[in-house]
């Protein structure tokens, strides 16, 4: 585990118990169980944290439209609640119903990246408003929109359909890990300084603008809200959560985390995402 930063407050500051904190939580595998639902214990802990004046931020790789559906279901469309979507590419104030931060991929990069993915036999898609856009009619597309509760369209040219530059591209390869790892190496070398790419699970390769991560979004949010980073708590389970876990004052990895994630955390939960693991974090570090 990393060195724990949560006890770094100087003596004489407001006591740990009464300081208002900000909680950044991943959705899949963290706040939500394996059925993509929130457990009653997690919901009760979230509600209590908000009543006590703490802030709650959904931080997800999902597109904004999908994340807002979850925020609505969780009762997080209110003051003190925010959504970080696209792994940090867009930040949304749910009480004001507007984006407060957005970074995008240059549209001219989309055709060559899609062409390279197609050449390698890798499925790839992007996002426009509430739609998922793809150039291929493949099972990966329909599996994704079912999981994220979105609509989709298959079009001849994604670049021509987009009305504005997107925050993210997503490559999906479910059978050949070496194939998509080689694609990651290609993107990292070819677009160094322009794009960033990393896995959010074993099959999903997230392609975002350079320096876009959940960790950078956490730091931006703390500065924007004038909350000391040491008063931030983050929770995640996947490789795309690592920078957020490292950036927070207290970074927490779930018991069910992917291999290699737990060593970056200050604390690892006893309970997993199916058994109120997020509630454990809230009661231990916020309440």
């Amino acid at each position: 585990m990393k060195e724990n930063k949560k006890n770094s407050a100087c003596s004489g500051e407001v006591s740990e118990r009464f300081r208002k904190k900000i909680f950044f939580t991943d959705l899949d595998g963290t706040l939500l169980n394996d059925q993509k639902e929130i457990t009653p214990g997690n919901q009760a802990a979230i509600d209590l944290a908000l009543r006590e004046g703490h802030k709650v931020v959904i931080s997800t790789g999902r597109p904004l439209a999908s994340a807002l559906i979850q925020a609505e279901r969780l009762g997080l469309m209110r003051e003190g609640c925010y959504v970080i979507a696209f792994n940090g590419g867009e930040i949304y104030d749910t009480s004001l119903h507007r984006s407060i931060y957005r970074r995008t991929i240059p549209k001219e990069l989309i055709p060559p990246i899609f062409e390279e993915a197609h050449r390698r036999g890798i499925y790839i898609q992007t996002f426009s408003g509430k739609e998922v856009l793809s150039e291929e009619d493949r099972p990966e597309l329909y599996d994704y929109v079912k999981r994220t509760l979105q609509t989709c369209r298959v079009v001849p040219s994604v670049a021509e359909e987009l009305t504005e530059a997107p925050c993210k591209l997503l490559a999906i390869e479910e059978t050949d890990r070496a194939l998509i790892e080689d694609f990651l190496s290609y993107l990292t070398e070819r677009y160094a300084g322009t794009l960033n790419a990393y896995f959010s699970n074993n099959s999903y390769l997230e392609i975002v603008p350079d320096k876009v991560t959940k960790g950078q979004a956490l730091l931006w949010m703390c500065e924007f809200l004038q909350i000391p980073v040491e008063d931030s708590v983050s929770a995640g389970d996947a490789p795309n959560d690592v920078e957020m876990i490292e950036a927070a004052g207290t970074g927490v990895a779930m018991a069910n985390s992917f291999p290699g994630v737990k060593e970056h955390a200050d604390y690892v939960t006893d309970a997993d995402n199916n058994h109120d693991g997020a509630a454990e974090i809230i009661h231990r570090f916020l309440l």
Side-chain angles (χ1 to χ4, degrees), residues 35-195:
Q35 287 70 50
K36 309 303 180 185
E37 300 169 342
I38 190 168
T39 62
N42 281 351
Q43 184 70 70
I46 287 283
D47 292 341
L48 181 55
L50 287 168
R51 286 199 300 272
E52 293 201 357
H54 303 291
K55 297 186 184 300
V56 174
V57 183
I58 289 174
S59 185
T60 180
R62 292 191 188 201
L64 180 63
S66 175
L68 290 177
I69 291 172
Q70 289 293 345
E72 182 77 38
R73 290 180 171 182
L74 299 170
L76 300 181
M77 302 295 288
R78 51 175 156 159
E79 187 175 356
C81 301
Y82 301 84
V83 168
I84 294 171
F86 299 114
N87 289 300
E90 188 162 10
I91 302 176
Y92 191 89
D93 185 325
T94 64
S95 67
L96 298 179
H97 303 283
R98 64 179 178 87
S99 292
I100 55 177
Y101 175 93
R102 194 169 191 267
R103 286 194 63 195
T104 59
I105 294 173
K107 286 181 69 174
E108 63 268 20
L109 298 185
I110 294 172
I113 293 173
F114 267 68
E115 289 169 10
E116 184 64 25
H118 295 333
R119 188 184 70 79
R120 294 168 180 259
I122 296 172
Y123 171 78
I124 190 168
Q125 64 184 33
T126 192
F127 308 87
S128 177
K130 296 181 179 181
E131 286 188 315
V132 179
L133 296 180
S134 173
E135 296 177 352
E136 295 184 291
D137 191 352
R138 286 179 46 167
E140 293 93 332
L141 171 61
Y142 301 105
D143 290 344
Y144 182 87
V145 297
K146 180 180 179 180
R147 185 178 71 83
T148 59
L149 308 175
Q150 293 188 273
T151 58
C152 64
R153 274 193 300 144
V154 178
V155 298
S157 170
V158 161
E160 292 181 5
E161 289 291 326
L162 288 168
T163 57
E164 60 181 357
C167 291
K168 185 180 86 165
L169 313 180
L170 179 65
I172 303 176
E173 172 52 54
E174 298 176 336
T175 59
D176 191 340
R177 175 74 177 191
L179 182 65
I180 199 164
E181 285 184 345
D182 187 60
F183 188 43
L184 169 61
S185 297
Y186 165 81
L187 292 170
T188 301
E189 181 178 350
R190 176 66 178 81
Y191 297 102
T194 303
L195 299 179

